[in-house]
Amino acid sequence: MTNPNLDALASAGTSAWLDDLSRQRLDGGELKSLVDDYAVVGVTTNPAIFSSAMTTGDAYDAQLRELAASGADAAETVFTMAIDDVRRACDELADVSARSGGADGRVSIEVDPRFADDYDETIAQARQLWERVGKSNAMIKVPATDASLPAVSDALADGICVNVTLIFSLERYRQVVDAFITGIERAKENGHDLSKIHSVASFFVSRVDSEIDKRLEALGGDALALRGKAGVANARLAYREFERSFGADAERWAPLSAAGANAQRPLWASTGVKNPDYPATLYVTELAGPHTVNTMPEKTLRATADADLDGVTDTLSGQGDEAQAVMDGIAAAGVDLDDVFTVLEREGVEKFVDSWQELLDSIDGRLREIRG
């Protein structure tokens, strides 16, 4: 039997995905256990996750020796090992994918974050990763930067399932939705079966609170009462935009929906609380609702499972006006929201680049050591 809290979350319309993957999880059966017992129906990865996985323990040693003998460089070694993990996870979730019509059972792998501002490299790698993974329930993660948004449309037009990541602001989310619909329109023109194309928009939550709380604390006074409210409010505004963009009255989306297209679901990312004073389930129970995904680190997943919850209800629908009032109050207190989101996007890319580079440097050292 699966956990009742996570079952209730699913009943509210939110799919629980695990924000982690490693060979240790696969070899030890931990991923299967989370699928069976904790209602996990998808997996997301990022450079930081693979950096932690591949530099801890000895699970990758045998493959490292094989790749070293083949002459592979660090980047090819990392991607080969990551792709193998993603393929195995896709197989682990194949039944979930089939039961959900492809909406869940997804496993994401990200393009090289160093290419976030390089369209040509991003689209080339998105296509290459999709082909190399070769699983219909995979998803290719592409960052929502100015340079990479056209790659989102192009990948979807090719029939590639895309996870658009590092979204922080409502304005950027609107651009992501536009890029998605453009891609689906072109996929239709290209003759693809639209029902087979799935996408999520990864909207980051806890990092918004961390940055805005810091600025509210610097302001002091009445501004302190607004701490811990921005992340949820900002996400709820994105959900209102989702409803407007993909609802029955959405003129641009209507013909695509009639042709079998799937709406791009909001995915709540960065849902582990950074401030220990906040409830561990804050970004789960306050962001539950129809047609959404919450990708959680294992700590947050288990906290949700163990929490004393009196059910989980829809906390997204109809919350737009209240959420707007919160964000207006934060701006009125003196927080420059445009600057907040600019900083968060830049730092988000930089953090993934740093994790990726550290991983490449570590693997390069291992390869040199093996080769003597």
Side-chain angles (χ1 to χ4, degrees):
M1 294 179 62
T2 51
N3 179 271
N5 287 345
L6 292 163
D7 283 345
L9 182 67
S11 294
T14 300
S15 297
W17 292 8
L18 177 69
D19 191 30
D20 193 37
L21 183 64
S22 67
R23 191 147 306 172
Q24 295 91 326
R25 281 194 186 280
L26 292 163
D27 290 345
E30 293 175 18
L31 177 58
K32 184 179 187 305
S33 175
L34 292 175
V35 171
D36 292 343
D37 301 332
Y38 287 82
V40 166
V41 291
V43 172
T44 53
T45 67
N46 61 47
I49 285 170
F50 277 126
S51 180
S52 176
M54 294 180 186
T55 58
T56 304
D58 58 5
Y60 295 89
D61 284 1
Q63 190 171 18
L64 269 170
R65 288 191 291 271
E66 293 175 2
L67 290 164
S70 73
D73 63 14
E76 175 57 26
T77 296
V78 167
F79 269 121
T80 297
M81 294 193 300
I83 287 167
D84 285 354
D85 286 354
V86 169
R87 287 175 56 84
R88 287 180 61 186
C90 282
D91 289 342
E92 197 77 63
L93 289 161
D95 289 345
V96 174
S97 177
R99 290 196 304 270
S100 66
D104 290 316
R106 294 279 161 185
V107 185
S108 295
I109 183 170
E110 190 161 347
V111 299
D112 190 325
R114 296 174 299 176
F115 300 149
D117 295 320
D118 188 326
Y119 159 79
D120 291 327
E121 291 284 2
T122 294
I123 186 60
Q125 194 168 81
R127 289 166 173 156
Q128 181 186 63
L129 285 173
W130 180 252
E131 182 176 351
R132 287 186 63 179
V133 174
K135 301 289 184 179
S136 62
N137 57 325
M139 260 186 178
I140 308 302
K141 289 181 78 171
V142 177
T145 57
D146 287 328
S148 292
L149 281 175
V152 170
S153 298
D154 287 354
L156 290 162
D158 289 348
I160 296 172
C161 297
V162 179
N163 177 340
V164 189
T165 190
L166 289 175
I167 308 168
F168 295 95
S169 71
L170 190 60
E171 178 57 32
R172 182 63 87 186
Y173 176 64
R174 291 189 182 107
Q175 295 172 352
V176 168
V177 169
D178 180 71
F180 166 75
I181 294 177
T182 297
I184 297 299
E185 288 170 340
R186 290 173 50 201
K188 182 181 179 184
E189 294 171 1
N190 292 339
H192 289 289
D193 180 350
L194 301 187
S195 69
K196 304 295 186 184
I197 305 174
H198 292 266
S199 181
V200 294
S202 292
F203 201 90
F204 280 53
V205 186
S206 67
R207 294 189 196 181
V208 172
D209 269 337
S210 295
E211 182 64 26
I212 289 181
D213 282 2
K214 178 175 65 177
R215 299 184 187 215
L216 291 170
E217 288 163 3
L219 290 166
D222 292 342
L224 298 178
L226 294 165
R227 288 178 298 180
K229 296 183 177 181
V232 168
N234 195 45
R236 286 175 173 174
L237 288 176
Y239 187 76
R240 182 173 68 176
E241 194 67 27
F242 161 76
E243 291 181 307
R244 291 172 174 173
S245 299
F246 298 103
D249 297 331
E251 292 184 7
R252 188 179 175 196
W253 179 246
L256 298 173
S257 179
N262 303 290
Q264 182 187 55
R265 289 190 294 172
L267 178 150
W268 313 126
S270 182
T271 56
V273 294
K274 303 292 193 292
N275 187 333
D277 292 336
Y278 299 158
T281 60
L282 175 64
Y283 305 125
V284 181
T285 58
E286 297 304 303
L287 295 174
H291 313 298
T292 59
V293 178
N294 193 309
T295 184
M296 303 176 233
E298 184 176 358
K299 182 178 179 180
T300 303
L301 181 74
R302 292 190 180 276
T304 301
D306 295 340
D308 183 13
L309 300 178
D310 185 19
V312 178
T313 60
D314 178 359
T315 51
L316 287 169
S317 302
Q319 300 297 314
D321 290 346
E322 183 178 339
Q324 186 64 63
V326 170
M327 299 307 288
D328 288 345
I330 291 170
V335 175
D336 184 342
L337 292 175
D338 288 340
D339 184 65
V340 165
F341 297 130
T342 297
V343 167
L344 286 171
E345 181 176 301
R346 183 183 68 247
E347 289 183 348
V349 172
E350 289 173 352
K351 287 176 181 177
F352 280 168
V353 169
D354 289 346
S355 294
W356 192 250
Q357 191 60 56
E358 289 173 8
L359 175 57
L360 292 178
D361 291 344
S362 176
I363 294 301
D364 183 62
R366 293 290 307 280
L367 292 171
R368 291 176 184 275
E369 179 183 329
I370 291 169
R371 290 168 181 152

